[in-house]
Amino acid sequence: MRLGIIGKPQSGKTTIFNLLTGLDAVTADFSGKIEPNLGNIKVPDDRLDYLTSIYEPKKTVPAEINFVDIPAPPNPDRNTQTAIYQHIRNCQALVLVIRGFNSNLGGAAKPLDEYNEVSAELIISDQIILENRVSRIRKEKGKTTNPLELAVLEKCLAWIEKENSLRTLELSDAELKLISGYQFLSLKPLLSLINVDDSQPDYQDLTAVLSEDSVPQIVINGQMELEISRLDEDDRPMFMEEMGITEVARDRFIQTAYRLLNQVSFLTVGKDEVRAWTVKSGSKAPLAGGVIHSDIQRGFIRAEVIAYRDFVEYGGEAGAKKAGKARSEGKEYEVQDGDIINFRFNV
Ligand SMILES: Nc1nc2c(ncn2[C@@H]2O[C@H](COP(=O)(O)OP(=O)(O)OP(=O)(O)O)[C@@H](O)[C@H]2O)c(=O)[nH]1
Ligand SMILES: [Mg+2]
């Protein structure tokens, strides 16, 4: 899963990136560079730990989240802005970091304004693409384009002209598929991360707007959590307790991100490898197999599935099979969170 970290200049994007990845990218960077910082985290998963203890594989591979910290130089020229949008386009989902602390440079925190401004920027970038595309298709009288595609683009354009994000437009799976190649920015799942400090900023008006827009929010004291995460492990619990932190930001973030992105994990097991994979909830078995290898999707025959809780309840693979809990599923099967799957395929 590739998550883009976006937001206004100096909102704390790189601070949050460092906190989530454990890396040490330069913060308060005024060099004007537009190359993103890249980092990833392994998603902690108890199920993986348990399966590893059973299979004792050569290696265990957790699911990963890849972070792309996309810089926001103040007053970018057009080429710079295009390059930045391109970085955003390549991400599956976005984390919008909003400054909830007062800073010398940016002045008082204005969380609602930041959210509105960034939303508007994403909308306008989509609007430009939609207008160009729709007018071109109309000009060539739809000779080279599927008429259904034009209909979806027109529907999107009408929505976006009313200053709405495409995320809030109702689109069927078939419609989404027709426009997936455009990678519209305002269509990408969005999580807002309000980066606060202990000056008790007020962001209630933002919270109200976010809930209207169905954008989930997570509040993190980025700077402080970063400092705590860099303490010796032995010292950490005391500071966390003092600051009233019960769960580290990284874990809280992962859970929220999975929920937001509607992701589920399935597992593959064996003596060589025990591994977690991530797919969008509702994905059918061949598509899930395709995450492992395109051959599995192409040559899909069946998926042999044991639910993780059955595996645990009946004491492993053999026990689950004996209890009739090993299922053989076909290509219409929707993969469930915690499925342990063995794919049968033929190419
Ligand atoms: N007080 C306070 N300062 C913070 C917090 N988070 C970040 N900062 C400071 O804000 C400044 C900007 O942080 P960065 O993480 O570099 O911000 P950025 O969004 O990556 O900035 P650009 O990439 O230039 O757009 C740095 O000086 C940080 O130390 C916070 O939670 N509280
Ligand atoms: Mg930065």
Side-chain angles (χ1 to χ4, degrees):
M1 180 158 56
R2 194 174 162 90
L3 277 186
I5 303 177
I6 62 167
K8 300 298 279 182
Q10 299 293 299
S11 53
K13 296 179 292 300
T14 303
T15 303
I16 295 294
F17 171 84
N18 285 341
L19 169 66
L20 294 174
T21 59
L23 294 173
D24 194 10
V26 183
T27 55
D29 181 0
F30 300 102
S31 64
K33 75 160 193 159
I34 52 166
E35 273 319 298
N37 297 307
L38 304 177
N40 55 6
I41 52 175
K42 303 196 176 334
V43 178
D45 190 336
D46 296 343
R47 299 171 297 193
L48 212 54
D49 300 339
Y50 177 71
L51 292 170
T52 297
S53 75
I54 302 282
Y55 285 91
E56 298 177 338
K58 292 197 192 101
K59 63 176 182 194
T60 300
V61 187
E64 276 191 3
I65 300 179
N66 299 300
F67 289 100
V68 187
D69 167 26
I70 302 168
N75 313 315
D77 60 34
R78 239 180 100 188
N79 287 341
T80 308
Q81 194 57 54
T82 309
I84 289 171
Y85 283 152
Q86 195 51 44
H87 290 310
I88 303 179
R89 225 172 283 294
N90 290 336
C91 296
Q92 272 168 283
L94 306 175
V95 181
L96 169 55
V97 175
I98 294 171
R99 182 166 61 87
F101 57 90
N102 302 327
S103 77
N104 293 336
L105 213 74
K110 298 189 201 76
L112 180 59
D113 289 355
E114 286 202 3
Y115 170 75
N116 284 335
E117 283 168 33
V118 176
S119 300
E121 285 169 26
L122 301 181
I123 288 173
I124 291 168
S125 115
D126 288 347
Q127 185 171 357
I128 294 170
I129 293 172
L130 279 162
E131 279 168 354
N132 286 339
R133 189 74 192 129
V134 165
S135 84
R136 194 169 312 156
I137 299 174
R138 282 182 188 150
K139 222 177 273 164
E140 60 168 35
K141 302 218 165 54
K143 272 186 210 121
T144 56
T145 311
N146 180 344
L148 293 173
E149 180 179 323
L150 177 61
V152 189
L153 293 174
E154 283 174 331
K155 179 173 165 182
C156 290
L157 183 56
W159 186 252
I160 228 164
E161 278 171 347
K162 292 188 215 134
E163 294 173 24
N164 296 311
S165 295
L166 292 176
R167 205 176 305 115
T168 55
L169 176 62
E170 233 173 88
L171 291 164
S172 69
D173 285 350
E175 288 176 318
L176 284 171
K177 204 166 167 193
L178 281 166
I179 58 166
S180 66
Y182 294 99
Q183 295 286 354
F184 290 123
L185 304 186
S186 76
L187 183 60
K188 293 188 187 288
L190 182 73
L191 168 64
S192 68
L193 189 158
I194 309 175
N195 182 20
V196 299
D197 62 6
D198 33 26
S199 66
Q200 309 278 336
D202 178 15
Y203 49 82
Q204 268 177 10
D205 50 354
L206 172 59
T207 301
V209 172
L210 289 174
S211 94
E212 256 169 53
D213 288 0
S214 308
V215 172
Q217 76 168 35
I218 179 168
V219 181
I220 291 181
N221 188 331
Q223 189 69 42
M224 188 187 70
E225 292 238 17
L226 182 60
E227 279 158 24
I228 291 178
S229 74
R230 287 176 173 170
L231 293 173
D232 277 350
E233 209 162 326
D234 299 342
D235 297 338
R236 250 181 260 156
M238 192 185 82
F239 278 91
M240 283 177 63
E241 199 183 319
E242 215 162 275
M243 302 321 255
I245 302 170
T246 48
E247 192 183 16
V248 292
R250 194 180 309 182
D251 294 348
R252 208 149 52 86
F253 178 87
I254 290 173
Q255 284 171 16
T256 314
Y258 264 63
R259 219 174 336 118
L260 158 74
L261 298 172
N262 236 333
Q263 300 285 309
V264 295
S265 298
F266 69 92
L267 306 140
T268 52
V269 295
K271 280 282 160 211
D272 279 334
E273 182 181 91
V274 165
R275 183 159 180 169
W277 308 84
T278 322
V279 283
K280 203 164 172 200
S281 157
S283 296
K284 305 240 164 99
L287 191 71
V291 175
I292 302 175
H293 198 288
S294 56
D295 282 352
I296 303 182
Q297 184 167 6
R298 246 183 330 125
F300 179 88
I301 303 171
R302 313 246 354 133
E304 291 165 1
V305 182
I306 301 174
Y308 175 75
R309 55 171 189 285
D310 290 335
F311 185 99
V312 175
E313 189 174 336
Y314 296 99
E317 210 173 304
K321 278 186 179 150
K322 220 162 128 195
K325 295 293 179 188
R327 290 169 277 130
S328 171
E329 302 282 3
K331 63 181 192 314
E332 289 303 315
Y333 176 69
E334 280 183 15
V335 170
Q336 305 295 309
D337 191 52
D339 277 351
I340 301 170
I341 307 184
N342 179 26
F343 288 97
R344 297 257 168 233
F345 65 103
N346 185 7
V347 281

